[in-house]
Amino acid sequence: MTDQLHSPVPAEPKAEPATTEPATTMPALAEPASAEPASAEPASAEPASAEPALAEPASAGPALAEPSAELSAVSAEREDERTTEAVEPPATPRIPLRERRGPRAAVRWGLAVVLCAGLAGGSAAYVTSLHRADVPGLSTKSDGRWDYSELSLPALRTDEPKPGDRANTAGTHFADPRDLLLPAPAGAKTDKALPGGVVPVDRFVAEYGKDDRAKLRDALDVTGLRQVTARGWTMPDGTHARVYLLRFPGAGYAASFLGEDLGARAQAPAIEPRGSSLSARDPGWEPFPAAYEAGSGMAYAEEAPFGARQIRHGYLRMGDTVALVITDHPGRTPAVPFRQMMILQGQLLA
């Protein structure tokens, strides 16, 4: 190894003998063109044994050429990287995951709040728009009352007092009696004979027995009856209901006809409606007169045994007006709708 490392230095003065054999030295320089540097094998073996040591530096030519190719490749790659860095825009820095969770969580919670608010608002609107009977858990079993539209009193002028005012000593109703009639409830079939307007006196008298009609007609003439208005209807269950309003010159005439001629007493009436055998005071009516401001009110029910239809009737008086409320039904007549009619008609008269 020591001779091989230092042999290239003295090789230059002995270059002349080497030139005499061009065939041995030239192939060693020309061989790097091939991919295999070991091709210079036996041709250089004829001179002295030291000649191969001289040929080794020549064969080192390919080893020196390979690093230059690698360097050029590396430099080319660096040049490409520089070109790529110059062309491609810088990448956007990636936001850490923890910093991205905040905005996403805020959006999710915001959407959840909006959705919950929308559902709550829609549910509340749906529930409040329903009738109580249509809401599960809030509906109550019907007690038989009829469904009336909202009642309203007719408008009066400023100089027209109500019948119950102290200034109105005669108890006069300044409103049109047709506007004071109780309207028919929902589902009712209007009675063509009692459409809700003025009717003849004989129509009112026909509600009583034949033996009492002449007496009542004379009493109405004496007390100075001014007008009779009436409305009637039939419900789907067969209940036939009628309301009559009798208007007199003053409160005194109305009270006289009610107490003396009709005989409307606390326990039983003196005159029975047509078809009724024996009527007695309705015990269920006791708590209800306080529900309206009418001057007086009495309710009666036909006692058993009764005919094909039980009759319930009652009287109301407020000021110059007397009201007759009467209902009948096949078999036993329901009490609740009858008392409901009495209360609502009393409120309209007051």
Side-chain angles (χ1 to χ4, degrees), residues 280-296:
R281 178 175 58 87
D282 182 3
W285 175 247
E286 293 293 334
F288 291 106
Y292 62 91
E293 299 176 0
S296 60

Side-chain angles (χ1 to χ4, degrees), residues 300-325:
Y300 309 98
E302 184 181 8
E303 292 185 337
F306 42 79
R309 303 174 72 93
Q310 183 190 26
I311 297 176
R312 291 179 177 271
H313 74 288
Y315 299 103
L316 299 167
R317 185 187 68 79
M318 185 62 188
D320 61 350
T321 302
V322 173
L324 167 65
V325 178

Side-chain angles (χ1 to χ4, degrees), residues 108-341:
R108 287 197 300 267
W109 281 107
L111 292 176
V113 170
V114 171
L115 180 60
C116 293
L119 291 176
S123 301
Y126 174 74
V127 171
T128 55
S129 64
L130 295 177
H131 190 270
R132 178 185 176 87
D134 299 331
V135 180
L138 296 181
S139 59
T140 55
K141 187 178 180 180
S142 174
D143 59 357
R145 284 179 289 182
W146 293 338
D147 186 12
Y148 289 90
S149 58
E150 186 177 356
L151 303 180
S152 60
L153 295 174
L156 299 176
R157 295 181 305 193
T158 56
D159 58 343
E160 294 176 343
K162 294 181 179 181
D165 293 346
R166 293 183 178 181
N168 191 355
T169 55
T172 303
H173 282 85
F174 290 95
D176 190 331
R178 292 171 293 185
D179 297 334
L180 299 176
L181 276 172
L182 181 66
K189 183 180 179 181
T190 304
D191 191 341
K192 295 181 179 180
L194 304 172
V198 179
V199 297
V201 176
D202 290 341
R203 185 65 185 84
F204 166 75
V205 175
E207 291 290 348
Y208 298 91
K210 293 181 178 180
D211 298 339
D212 299 321
R213 293 176 185 175
K215 178 184 176 181
L216 290 175
R217 189 179 294 107
D218 293 341
L220 291 173
D221 291 339
V222 171
T223 52
L225 176 67
R226 290 184 173 181
Q227 194 179 56
V228 179
T229 55
R231 173 176 285 122
W233 62 83
T234 303
M235 296 300 291
D237 64 348
T239 302
H240 188 204
R242 288 91 70 196
V243 179
Y244 293 87
L245 296 184
L246 286 72
R247 191 170 184 178
F248 295 89
Y253 293 96
S256 174
F257 176 76
L258 180 62
E260 297 178 9
D261 300 320
L262 288 178
R265 301 180 179 89
Q267 297 301 322
I271 300 178
E272 291 283 345
R274 183 184 74 248
S276 177
S277 58
L278 179 63
S279 296
R281 178 175 58 87
D282 182 3
W285 175 247
E286 293 293 334
F288 291 106
Y292 62 91
E293 299 176 0
S296 60
M298 288 150 287
Y300 309 98
E302 184 181 8
E303 292 185 337
F306 42 79
R309 303 174 72 93
Q310 183 190 26
I311 297 176
R312 291 179 177 271
H313 74 288
Y315 299 103
L316 299 167
R317 185 187 68 79
M318 185 62 188
D320 61 350
T321 302
V322 173
L324 167 65
V325 178
I326 183 169
T327 62
D328 60 83
H329 181 273
R332 186 175 296 276
T333 301
V336 172
F338 166 73
R339 296 166 185 166
Q340 183 185 17
M341 289 178 63

